[in-house]
Amino acid sequence: MSANDLRVVKTKQALHNALLTLLSEKPLENITIAEICRVAKVNRGTFYLHYEQKEGLFEEYFQEIMRDLNNSYEEPYRAVTTLDKNQIDPDTIRIFHHIERFKMFYRIVFSKNVPLTYYYMLFDGIFALLKRDIALHNKVHDEISIEYYSAYQANAIIGLIIQWYRQDFVDSVSILNKQLAGILRIGEK
């Protein structure tokens, strides 16, 4: 069976959804493969056909989220050769669409009931994305470390997402896009 086989895709989606459901109740280390299989309605043999352990399932799902986050982050750059913060069109910002698409995952990550490990995994993913972006598209003053600047920017993005989460994602994606575009313009005039 190939990874693009519809049966494989549906099985993995069921396992991802089962894992998310269980993660909303307890940390990964307290979840058993039997529970994942029961919730996903697949047998253990099917699980082991795709994964050696539950951490592999989590890692695969997390990498899927990071790929989607990366694609969403890069979207404004597809329309222009150089991104001018003063000219950014809020409609080209896709990061909040990503958050909305994976809202259940972000509810888990920012819940006070889960280990900080999930938060730091997300931070590391965003940090790496921003560090690469800063190196490719922006010039940082010589006296500013790319690592510190990337950490600052990553925490700013995560701060916006946490605030949106704390408000139970009530504001629309469009409002968040306009907020981010406005924030980026502060100090640029």
Side-chain angles (χ1 to χ4, degrees), residues 123 127 131 134 140 144-153:
F123 173 84
F127 173 83
K131 185 176 175 186
I134 290 165
V140 178
I144 298 174
S145 156
I146 288 179
E147 284 78 19
Y148 283 119
Y149 188 67
S150 300
Y152 172 81
Q153 293 292 328

Side-chain angles (χ1 to χ4, degrees), residues 147-165:
E147 284 78 19
Y148 283 119
Y149 188 67
S150 300
Y152 172 81
Q153 293 292 328
N155 276 302
I157 293 291
I158 290 174
L160 286 172
I161 298 167
I162 289 173
Q163 185 58 29
W164 194 26
Y165 157 79

Side-chain angles (χ1 to χ4, degrees), residues 96-133:
F96 299 110
H97 290 84
H98 160 82
I99 304 299
E100 189 170 61
R101 192 168 31 261
F102 292 99
K103 195 183 299 184
M104 187 172 175
F105 173 78
Y106 286 99
R107 283 185 199 277
I108 292 165
V109 169
F110 297 127
S111 160
K112 293 179 181 174
N113 303 326
V114 298
L116 274 175
T117 306
Y118 301 154
Y119 174 88
Y120 281 110
M121 286 178 70
L122 177 63
F123 173 84
D124 290 342
I126 293 173
F127 173 83
L129 175 68
L130 290 166
K131 185 176 175 186
R132 188 188 75 233
D133 178 52

